[in-house]
mmCIF file with all atom_site columns, all heavy atoms in Angstrom:
data_model
loop_
_atom_site.group_PDB
_atom_site.id
_atom_site.type_symbol
_atom_site.label_atom_id
_atom_site.label_alt_id
_atom_site.label_comp_id
_atom_site.label_asym_id
_atom_site.label_entity_id
_atom_site.label_seq_id
_atom_site.pdbx_PDB_ins_code
_atom_site.Cartn_x
_atom_site.Cartn_y
_atom_site.Cartn_z
_atom_site.occupancy
_atom_site.B_iso_or_equiv
_atom_site.pdbx_formal_charge
_atom_site.auth_seq_id
_atom_site.auth_comp_id
_atom_site.auth_asym_id
_atom_site.auth_atom_id
_atom_site.pdbx_PDB_model_num
ATOM 1   N N   . ILE A 1 199 ? -15.111 25.977 -26.750 1.00 98.00 ? 493 ILE A N   1
ATOM 2   C CA  . ILE A 1 199 ? -15.920 26.863 -25.892 1.00 98.00 ? 493 ILE A CA  1
ATOM 3   C C   . ILE A 1 199 ? -16.624 27.933 -26.906 1.00 98.00 ? 493 ILE A C   1
ATOM 4   O O   . ILE A 1 199 ? -15.878 28.783 -27.600 1.00 98.00 ? 493 ILE A O   1
ATOM 5   C CB  . ILE A 1 199 ? -15.001 27.684 -25.036 1.00 98.00 ? 493 ILE A CB  1
ATOM 6   C CG1 . ILE A 1 199 ? -14.159 26.881 -24.114 1.00 98.00 ? 493 ILE A CG1 1
ATOM 7   C CG2 . ILE A 1 199 ? -15.833 28.736 -24.121 1.00 98.00 ? 493 ILE A CG2 1
ATOM 8   C CD1 . ILE A 1 199 ? -14.975 25.857 -23.171 1.00 98.00 ? 493 ILE A CD1 1
ATOM 9   N N   . SER A 1 200 ? -17.888 27.830 -26.950 1.00 97.00 ? 494 SER A N   1
ATOM 10  C CA  . SER A 1 200 ? -18.635 28.726 -28.006 1.00 97.00 ? 494 SER A CA  1
ATOM 11  C C   . SER A 1 200 ? -19.133 29.976 -27.323 1.00 97.00 ? 494 SER A C   1
ATOM 12  O O   . SER A 1 200 ? -19.455 30.826 -27.961 1.00 97.00 ? 494 SER A O   1
ATOM 13  C CB  . SER A 1 200 ? -19.776 27.939 -28.573 1.00 97.00 ? 494 SER A CB  1
ATOM 14  O OG  . SER A 1 200 ? -20.514 27.291 -27.645 1.00 97.00 ? 494 SER A OG  1
ATOM 15  N N   . HIS A 1 201 ? -19.177 29.863 -25.929 1.00 97.00 ? 495 HIS A N   1
ATOM 16  C CA  . HIS A 1 201 ? -19.619 31.100 -25.218 1.00 97.00 ? 495 HIS A CA  1
ATOM 17  C C   . HIS A 1 201 ? -19.101 31.090 -23.780 1.00 97.00 ? 495 HIS A C   1
ATOM 18  O O   . HIS A 1 201 ? -19.130 29.838 -23.239 1.00 97.00 ? 495 HIS A O   1
ATOM 19  C CB  . HIS A 1 201 ? -21.116 31.266 -25.263 1.00 97.00 ? 495 HIS A CB  1
ATOM 20  C CG  . HIS A 1 201 ? -21.697 32.145 -24.123 1.00 97.00 ? 495 HIS A CG  1
ATOM 21  N ND1 . HIS A 1 201 ? -21.709 33.575 -24.351 1.00 97.00 ? 495 HIS A ND1 1
ATOM 22  C CD2 . HIS A 1 201 ? -22.210 31.930 -22.870 1.00 97.00 ? 495 HIS A CD2 1
ATOM 23  C CE1 . HIS A 1 201 ? -22.244 34.087 -23.154 1.00 97.00 ? 495 HIS A CE1 1
ATOM 24  N NE2 . HIS A 1 201 ? -22.500 33.143 -22.320 1.00 97.00 ? 495 HIS A NE2 1
ATOM 25  N N   . ALA A 1 202 ? -18.709 32.112 -23.258 1.00 98.00 ? 496 ALA A N   1
ATOM 26  C CA  . ALA A 1 202 ? -18.269 32.126 -21.793 1.00 98.00 ? 496 ALA A CA  1
ATOM 27  C C   . ALA A 1 202 ? -18.597 33.593 -21.259 1.00 98.00 ? 496 ALA A C   1
ATOM 28  O O   . ALA A 1 202 ? -18.283 34.634 -21.918 1.00 98.00 ? 496 ALA A O   1
ATOM 29  C CB  . ALA A 1 202 ? -16.888 31.725 -21.640 1.00 98.00 ? 496 ALA A CB  1
ATOM 30  N N   . ALA A 1 203 ? -18.984 33.659 -20.068 1.00 98.00 ? 497 ALA A N   1
ATOM 31  C CA  . ALA A 1 203 ? -19.258 34.891 -19.438 1.00 98.00 ? 497 ALA A CA  1
ATOM 32  C C   . ALA A 1 203 ? -19.173 34.810 -17.994 1.00 98.00 ? 497 ALA A C   1
ATOM 33  O O   . ALA A 1 203 ? -19.455 33.898 -17.467 1.00 98.00 ? 497 ALA A O   1
ATOM 34  C CB  . ALA A 1 203 ? -20.604 35.560 -19.849 1.00 98.00 ? 497 ALA A CB  1
ATOM 35  N N   . VAL A 1 204 ? -18.772 36.024 -17.352 1.00 98.00 ? 498 VAL A N   1
ATOM 36  C CA  . VAL A 1 204 ? -18.714 36.061 -15.903 1.00 98.00 ? 498 VAL A CA  1
ATOM 37  C C   . VAL A 1 204 ? -19.382 37.399 -15.467 1.00 98.00 ? 498 VAL A C   1
ATOM 38  O O   . VAL A 1 204 ? -19.454 38.332 -16.348 1.00 98.00 ? 498 VAL A O   1
ATOM 39  C CB  . VAL A 1 204 ? -17.303 35.907 -15.270 1.00 98.00 ? 498 VAL A CB  1
ATOM 40  C CG1 . VAL A 1 204 ? -16.719 34.657 -15.618 1.00 98.00 ? 498 VAL A CG1 1
ATOM 41  C CG2 . VAL A 1 204 ? -16.393 37.009 -15.781 1.00 98.00 ? 498 VAL A CG2 1
ATOM 42  N N   . ALA A 1 205 ? -19.802 37.458 -14.199 1.00 97.00 ? 499 ALA A N   1
ATOM 43  C CA  . ALA A 1 205 ? -20.325 38.763 -13.728 1.00 97.00 ? 499 ALA A CA  1
ATOM 44  C C   . ALA A 1 205 ? -20.363 38.862 -12.254 1.00 97.00 ? 499 ALA A C   1
ATOM 45  O O   . ALA A 1 205 ? -19.980 37.857 -11.624 1.00 97.00 ? 499 ALA A O   1
ATOM 46  C CB  . ALA A 1 205 ? -21.888 38.816 -14.153 1.00 97.00 ? 499 ALA A CB  1
ATOM 47  N N   . HIS A 1 206 ? -20.563 40.031 -11.606 1.00 97.00 ? 500 HIS A N   1
ATOM 48  C CA  . HIS A 1 206 ? -20.579 40.241 -10.270 1.00 97.00 ? 500 HIS A CA  1
ATOM 49  C C   . HIS A 1 206 ? -21.977 40.743 -10.037 1.00 97.00 ? 500 HIS A C   1
ATOM 50  O O   . HIS A 1 206 ? -22.342 41.923 -10.628 1.00 97.00 ? 500 HIS A O   1
ATOM 51  C CB  . HIS A 1 206 ? -19.651 41.195 -9.751  1.00 97.00 ? 500 HIS A CB  1
ATOM 52  C CG  . HIS A 1 206 ? -19.824 41.666 -8.291  1.00 97.00 ? 500 HIS A CG  1
ATOM 53  N ND1 . HIS A 1 206 ? -19.225 40.896 -7.252  1.00 97.00 ? 500 HIS A ND1 1
ATOM 54  C CD2 . HIS A 1 206 ? -20.306 42.763 -7.802  1.00 97.00 ? 500 HIS A CD2 1
ATOM 55  C CE1 . HIS A 1 206 ? -19.586 41.484 -6.277  1.00 97.00 ? 500 HIS A CE1 1
ATOM 56  N NE2 . HIS A 1 206 ? -20.208 42.532 -6.442  1.00 97.00 ? 500 HIS A NE2 1
ATOM 57  N N   . PHE A 1 207 ? -22.837 40.192 -9.142  1.00 97.00 ? 501 PHE A N   1
ATOM 58  C CA  . PHE A 1 207 ? -24.088 40.493 -8.655  1.00 97.00 ? 501 PHE A CA  1
ATOM 59  C C   . PHE A 1 207 ? -24.338 40.899 -7.376  1.00 97.00 ? 501 PHE A C   1
ATOM 60  O O   . PHE A 1 207 ? -25.098 41.729 -6.925  1.00 97.00 ? 501 PHE A O   1
ATOM 61  C CB  . PHE A 1 207 ? -25.213 39.536 -9.172  1.00 97.00 ? 501 PHE A CB  1
ATOM 62  C CG  . PHE A 1 207 ? -25.319 39.397 -10.675 1.00 97.00 ? 501 PHE A CG  1
ATOM 63  C CD1 . PHE A 1 207 ? -24.834 38.245 -11.354 1.00 97.00 ? 501 PHE A CD1 1
ATOM 64  C CD2 . PHE A 1 207 ? -25.932 40.437 -11.461 1.00 97.00 ? 501 PHE A CD2 1
ATOM 65  C CE1 . PHE A 1 207 ? -25.073 38.114 -12.671 1.00 97.00 ? 501 PHE A CE1 1
ATOM 66  C CE2 . PHE A 1 207 ? -26.162 40.185 -12.857 1.00 97.00 ? 501 PHE A CE2 1
ATOM 67  C CZ  . PHE A 1 207 ? -25.621 39.083 -13.559 1.00 97.00 ? 501 PHE A CZ  1
ATOM 68  N N   . GLY A 1 208 ? -23.555 40.163 -6.471  1.00 94.00 ? 502 GLY A N   1
ATOM 69  C CA  . GLY A 1 208 ? -23.768 40.233 -5.059  1.00 94.00 ? 502 GLY A CA  1
ATOM 70  C C   . GLY A 1 208 ? -23.334 41.570 -4.331  1.00 94.00 ? 502 GLY A C   1
ATOM 71  O O   . GLY A 1 208 ? -22.549 42.282 -4.837  1.00 94.00 ? 502 GLY A O   1
ATOM 72  N N   . HIS A 1 209 ? -23.772 41.665 -3.066  1.00 88.00 ? 503 HIS A N   1
ATOM 73  C CA  . HIS A 1 209 ? -23.440 42.845 -2.261  1.00 88.00 ? 503 HIS A CA  1
ATOM 74  C C   . HIS A 1 209 ? -22.478 42.561 -1.183  1.00 88.00 ? 503 HIS A C   1
ATOM 75  O O   . HIS A 1 209 ? -22.109 43.460 -0.453  1.00 88.00 ? 503 HIS A O   1
ATOM 76  C CB  . HIS A 1 209 ? -24.750 43.453 -1.786  1.00 88.00 ? 503 HIS A CB  1
ATOM 77  C CG  . HIS A 1 209 ? -25.814 43.782 -2.822  1.00 88.00 ? 503 HIS A CG  1
ATOM 78  N ND1 . HIS A 1 209 ? -25.545 44.706 -3.811  1.00 88.00 ? 503 HIS A ND1 1
ATOM 79  C CD2 . HIS A 1 209 ? -27.010 43.272 -3.108  1.00 88.00 ? 503 HIS A CD2 1
ATOM 80  C CE1 . HIS A 1 209 ? -26.563 44.777 -4.603  1.00 88.00 ? 503 HIS A CE1 1
ATOM 81  N NE2 . HIS A 1 209 ? -27.485 43.974 -4.155  1.00 88.00 ? 503 HIS A NE2 1
ATOM 82  N N   . ALA A 1 210 ? -22.179 41.277 -0.962  1.00 84.00 ? 504 ALA A N   1
ATOM 83  C CA  . ALA A 1 210 ? -21.360 40.901 0.171   1.00 84.00 ? 504 ALA A CA  1
ATOM 84  C C   . ALA A 1 210 ? -19.907 40.879 -0.073  1.00 84.00 ? 504 ALA A C   1
ATOM 85  O O   . ALA A 1 210 ? -19.086 40.596 0.700   1.00 84.00 ? 504 ALA A O   1
ATOM 86  C CB  . ALA A 1 210 ? -21.870 39.509 0.695   1.00 84.00 ? 504 ALA A CB  1
ATOM 87  N N   . THR A 1 211 ? -19.548 41.191 -1.322  1.00 91.00 ? 505 THR A N   1
ATOM 88  C CA  . THR A 1 211 ? -18.186 41.078 -1.881  1.00 91.00 ? 505 THR A CA  1
ATOM 89  C C   . THR A 1 211 ? -17.685 42.232 -2.653  1.00 91.00 ? 505 THR A C   1
ATOM 90  O O   . THR A 1 211 ? -18.674 43.010 -3.162  1.00 91.00 ? 505 THR A O   1
ATOM 91  C CB  . THR A 1 211 ? -17.880 39.724 -2.596  1.00 91.00 ? 505 THR A CB  1
ATOM 92  O OG1 . THR A 1 211 ? -18.873 39.717 -3.748  1.00 91.00 ? 505 THR A OG1 1
ATOM 93  C CG2 . THR A 1 211 ? -18.020 38.568 -1.707  1.00 91.00 ? 505 THR A CG2 1
ATOM 94  N N   . ARG A 1 212 ? -16.482 42.415 -2.905  1.00 90.00 ? 506 ARG A N   1
ATOM 95  C CA  . ARG A 1 212 ? -16.060 43.519 -3.759  1.00 90.00 ? 506 ARG A CA  1
ATOM 96  C C   . ARG A 1 212 ? -16.414 43.417 -5.104  1.00 90.00 ? 506 ARG A C   1
ATOM 97  O O   . ARG A 1 212 ? -16.608 42.320 -5.582  1.00 90.00 ? 506 ARG A O   1
ATOM 98  C CB  . ARG A 1 212 ? -14.491 43.748 -3.550  1.00 90.00 ? 506 ARG A CB  1
ATOM 99  C CG  . ARG A 1 212 ? -13.671 42.614 -4.034  1.00 90.00 ? 506 ARG A CG  1
ATOM 100 C CD  . ARG A 1 212 ? -12.248 42.692 -3.594  1.00 90.00 ? 506 ARG A CD  1
ATOM 101 N NE  . ARG A 1 212 ? -11.327 41.900 -4.409  1.00 90.00 ? 506 ARG A NE  1
ATOM 102 C CZ  . ARG A 1 212 ? -10.090 41.557 -4.091  1.00 90.00 ? 506 ARG A CZ  1
ATOM 103 N NH1 . ARG A 1 212 ? -9.623  41.997 -2.836  1.00 90.00 ? 506 ARG A NH1 1
ATOM 104 N NH2 . ARG A 1 212 ? -9.384  40.800 -4.878  1.00 90.00 ? 506 ARG A NH2 1
ATOM 105 N N   . PRO A 1 213 ? -16.529 44.496 -5.964  1.00 93.00 ? 507 PRO A N   1
ATOM 106 C CA  . PRO A 1 213 ? -17.092 44.377 -7.264  1.00 93.00 ? 507 PRO A CA  1
ATOM 107 C C   . PRO A 1 213 ? -16.353 43.555 -8.316  1.00 93.00 ? 507 PRO A C   1
ATOM 108 O O   . PRO A 1 213 ? -16.981 43.156 -9.201  1.00 93.00 ? 507 PRO A O   1
ATOM 109 C CB  . PRO A 1 213 ? -17.142 45.789 -7.705  1.00 93.00 ? 507 PRO A CB  1
ATOM 110 C CG  . PRO A 1 213 ? -17.137 46.608 -6.447  1.00 93.00 ? 507 PRO A CG  1
ATOM 111 C CD  . PRO A 1 213 ? -16.305 45.880 -5.453  1.00 93.00 ? 507 PRO A CD  1
ATOM 112 N N   . ASP A 1 214 ? -15.018 43.218 -7.996  1.00 94.00 ? 508 ASP A N   1
ATOM 113 C CA  . ASP A 1 214 ? -14.263 42.569 -8.921  1.00 94.00 ? 508 ASP A CA  1
ATOM 114 C C   . ASP A 1 214 ? -14.363 40.912 -8.666  1.00 94.00 ? 508 ASP A C   1
ATOM 115 O O   . ASP A 1 214 ? -13.726 40.234 -9.433  1.00 94.00 ? 508 ASP A O   1
ATOM 116 C CB  . ASP A 1 214 ? -12.810 43.023 -9.027  1.00 94.00 ? 508 ASP A CB  1
ATOM 117 C CG  . ASP A 1 214 ? -12.075 42.799 -7.702  1.00 94.00 ? 508 ASP A CG  1
ATOM 118 O OD1 . ASP A 1 214 ? -12.837 42.579 -6.680  1.00 94.00 ? 508 ASP A OD1 1
ATOM 119 O OD2 . ASP A 1 214 ? -10.866 42.732 -7.584  1.00 94.00 ? 508 ASP A OD2 1
ATOM 120 N N   . PHE A 1 215 ? -15.077 40.648 -7.671  1.00 97.00 ? 509 PHE A N   1
ATOM 121 C CA  . PHE A 1 215 ? -15.213 39.179 -7.277  1.00 97.00 ? 509 PHE A CA  1
ATOM 122 C C   . PHE A 1 215 ? -16.257 38.512 -8.361  1.00 97.00 ? 509 PHE A C   1
ATOM 123 O O   . PHE A 1 215 ? -17.458 39.001 -8.431  1.00 97.00 ? 509 PHE A O   1
ATOM 124 C CB  . PHE A 1 215 ? -15.644 38.964 -5.945  1.00 97.00 ? 509 PHE A CB  1
ATOM 125 C CG  . PHE A 1 215 ? -15.915 37.474 -5.647  1.00 97.00 ? 509 PHE A CG  1
ATOM 126 C CD1 . PHE A 1 215 ? -14.906 36.603 -5.579  1.00 97.00 ? 509 PHE A CD1 1
ATOM 127 C CD2 . PHE A 1 215 ? -17.231 37.056 -5.207  1.00 97.00 ? 509 PHE A CD2 1
ATOM 128 C CE1 . PHE A 1 215 ? -15.038 35.241 -5.256  1.00 97.00 ? 509 PHE A CE1 1
ATOM 129 C CE2 . PHE A 1 215 ? -17.385 35.714 -4.895  1.00 97.00 ? 509 PHE A CE2 1
ATOM 130 C CZ  . PHE A 1 215 ? -16.420 34.805 -4.949  1.00 97.00 ? 509 PHE A CZ  1
ATOM 131 N N   . GLN A 1 216 ? -15.995 37.427 -8.906  1.00 97.00 ? 510 GLN A N   1
ATOM 132 C CA  . GLN A 1 216 ? -16.828 36.811 -9.976  1.00 97.00 ? 510 GLN A CA  1
ATOM 133 C C   . GLN A 1 216 ? -17.743 35.792 -9.229  1.00 97.00 ? 510 GLN A C   1
ATOM 134 O O   . GLN A 1 216 ? -17.309 34.862 -8.590  1.00 97.00 ? 510 GLN A O   1
ATOM 135 C CB  . GLN A 1 216 ? -16.014 36.013 -10.950 1.00 97.00 ? 510 GLN A CB  1
ATOM 136 C CG  . GLN A 1 216 ? -15.122 36.887 -11.771 1.00 97.00 ? 510 GLN A CG  1
ATOM 137 C CD  . GLN A 1 216 ? -14.059 36.016 -12.677 1.00 97.00 ? 510 GLN A CD  1
ATOM 138 O OE1 . GLN A 1 216 ? -14.154 34.897 -12.684 1.00 97.00 ? 510 GLN A OE1 1
ATOM 139 N NE2 . GLN A 1 216 ? -13.320 36.774 -13.506 1.00 97.00 ? 510 GLN A NE2 1
ATOM 140 N N   . ASP A 1 217 ? -19.072 36.221 -9.156  1.00 97.00 ? 511 ASP A N   1
ATOM 141 C CA  . ASP A 1 217 ? -19.963 35.394 -8.339  1.00 97.00 ? 511 ASP A CA  1
ATOM 142 C C   . ASP A 1 217 ? -20.840 34.816 -9.251  1.00 97.00 ? 511 ASP A C   1
ATOM 143 O O   . ASP A 1 217 ? -21.800 33.986 -8.763  1.00 97.00 ? 511 ASP A O   1
ATOM 144 C CB  . ASP A 1 217 ? -20.760 36.166 -7.218  1.00 97.00 ? 511 ASP A CB  1
ATOM 145 C CG  . ASP A 1 217 ? -21.417 37.477 -7.670  1.00 97.00 ? 511 ASP A CG  1
ATOM 146 O OD1 . ASP A 1 217 ? -21.740 37.554 -8.917  1.00 97.00 ? 511 ASP A OD1 1
ATOM 147 O OD2 . ASP A 1 217 ? -21.573 38.329 -6.867  1.00 97.00 ? 511 ASP A OD2 1
ATOM 148 N N   . PHE A 1 218 ? -20.789 34.905 -10.551 1.00 98.00 ? 512 PHE A N   1
ATOM 149 C CA  . PHE A 1 218 ? -21.611 34.255 -11.630 1.00 98.00 ? 512 PHE A CA  1
ATOM 150 C C   . PHE A 1 218 ? -20.827 34.012 -12.804 1.00 98.00 ? 512 PHE A C   1
ATOM 151 O O   . PHE A 1 218 ? -19.991 34.797 -13.225 1.00 98.00 ? 512 PHE A O   1
ATOM 152 C CB  . PHE A 1 218 ? -22.860 35.025 -11.937 1.00 98.00 ? 512 PHE A CB  1
ATOM 153 C CG  . PHE A 1 218 ? -23.615 34.424 -12.996 1.00 98.00 ? 512 PHE A CG  1
ATOM 154 C CD1 . PHE A 1 218 ? -24.718 33.706 -12.655 1.00 98.00 ? 512 PHE A CD1 1
ATOM 155 C CD2 . PHE A 1 218 ? -23.491 34.761 -14.502 1.00 98.00 ? 512 PHE A CD2 1
ATOM 156 C CE1 . PHE A 1 218 ? -25.438 33.050 -13.798 1.00 98.00 ? 512 PHE A CE1 1
ATOM 157 C CE2 . PHE A 1 218 ? -24.197 34.228 -15.370 1.00 98.00 ? 512 PHE A CE2 1
ATOM 158 C CZ  . PHE A 1 218 ? -25.209 33.335 -15.028 1.00 98.00 ? 512 PHE A CZ  1
ATOM 159 N N   . GLY A 1 219 ? -21.047 32.781 -13.387 1.00 98.00 ? 513 GLY A N   1
ATOM 160 C CA  . GLY A 1 219 ? -20.244 32.373 -14.686 1.00 98.00 ? 513 GLY A CA  1
ATOM 161 C C   . GLY A 1 219 ? -21.092 31.440 -15.448 1.00 98.00 ? 513 GLY A C   1
ATOM 162 O O   . GLY A 1 219 ? -21.946 30.571 -14.827 1.00 98.00 ? 513 GLY A O   1
ATOM 163 N N   . GLU A 1 220 ? -20.915 31.468 -16.652 1.00 98.00 ? 514 GLU A N   1
ATOM 164 C CA  . GLU A 1 220 ? -21.686 30.515 -17.653 1.00 98.00 ? 514 GLU A CA  1
ATOM 165 C C   . GLU A 1 220 ? -20.789 30.155 -18.773 1.00 98.00 ? 514 GLU A C   1
ATOM 166 O O   . GLU A 1 220 ? -19.877 30.861 -19.198 1.00 98.00 ? 514 GLU A O   1
ATOM 167 C CB  . GLU A 1 220 ? -23.008 30.891 -18.100 1.00 98.00 ? 514 GLU A CB  1
ATOM 168 C CG  . GLU A 1 220 ? -22.963 32.195 -18.891 1.00 98.00 ? 514 GLU A CG  1
ATOM 169 C CD  . GLU A 1 220 ? -24.220 32.824 -19.332 1.00 98.00 ? 514 GLU A CD  1
ATOM 170 O OE1 . GLU A 1 220 ? -25.321 32.113 -18.953 1.00 98.00 ? 514 GLU A OE1 1
ATOM 171 O OE2 . GLU A 1 220 ? -24.272 33.836 -20.057 1.00 98.00 ? 514 GLU A OE2 1
ATOM 172 N N   . VAL A 1 221 ? -20.884 28.933 -19.311 1.00 98.00 ? 515 VAL A N   1
ATOM 173 C CA  . VAL A 1 221 ? -20.108 28.355 -20.342 1.00 98.00 ? 515 VAL A CA  1
ATOM 174 C C   . VAL A 1 221 ? -20.935 27.531 -21.266 1.00 98.00 ? 515 VAL A C   1
ATOM 175 O O   . VAL A 1 221 ? -21.791 26.756 -20.841 1.00 98.00 ? 515 VAL A O   1
ATOM 176 C CB  . VAL A 1 221 ? -18.891 27.503 -19.985 1.00 98.00 ? 515 VAL A CB  1
ATOM 177 C CG1 . VAL A 1 221 ? -18.093 27.026 -21.066 1.00 98.00 ? 515 VAL A CG1 1
ATOM 178 C CG2 . VAL A 1 221 ? -17.958 28.340 -18.876 1.00 98.00 ? 515 VAL A CG2 1
ATOM 179 N N   . ALA A 1 222 ? -20.766 27.657 -22.577 1.00 98.00 ? 516 ALA A N   1
ATOM 180 C CA  . ALA A 1 222 ? -21.354 26.815 -23.591 1.00 98.00 ? 516 ALA A CA  1
ATOM 181 C C   . ALA A 1 222 ? -20.247 26.010 -24.367 1.00 98.00 ? 516 ALA A C   1
ATOM 182 O O   . ALA A 1 222 ? -19.254 26.608 -24.691 1.00 98.00 ? 516 ALA A O   1
ATOM 183 C CB  . ALA A 1 222 ? -22.200 27.492 -24.643 1.00 98.00 ? 516 ALA A CB  1
ATOM 184 N N   . LEU A 1 223 ? -20.310 24.701 -24.459 1.00 98.00 ? 517 LEU A N   1
ATOM 185 C CA  . LEU A 1 223 ? -19.303 23.871 -25.075 1.00 98.00 ? 517 LEU A CA  1
ATOM 186 C C   . LEU A 1 223 ? -19.874 23.167 -26.368 1.00 98.00 ? 517 LEU A C   1
ATOM 187 O O   . LEU A 1 223 ? -21.105 22.765 -26.378 1.00 98.00 ? 517 LEU A O   1
ATOM 188 C CB  . LEU A 1 223 ? -18.841 22.888 -24.141 1.00 98.00 ? 517 LEU A CB  1
ATOM 189 C CG  . LEU A 1 223 ? -18.291 23.490 -22.749 1.00 98.00 ? 517 LEU A CG  1
ATOM 190 C CD1 . LEU A 1 223 ? -19.273 23.123 -21.689 1.00 98.00 ? 517 LEU A CD1 1
ATOM 191 C CD2 . LEU A 1 223 ? -16.960 22.682 -22.460 1.00 98.00 ? 517 LEU A CD2 1
#
Side-chain angles (χ1 to χ4, degrees):
I493 305 296
S494 55
H495 164 77
V498 295
H500 172 82
F501 292 106
H503 304 293
T505 55
R506 65 195 200 193
D508 62 343
F509 178 65
Q510 298 174 356
D511 54 22
F512 175 89
E514 61 181 358
V515 180
L517 305 104

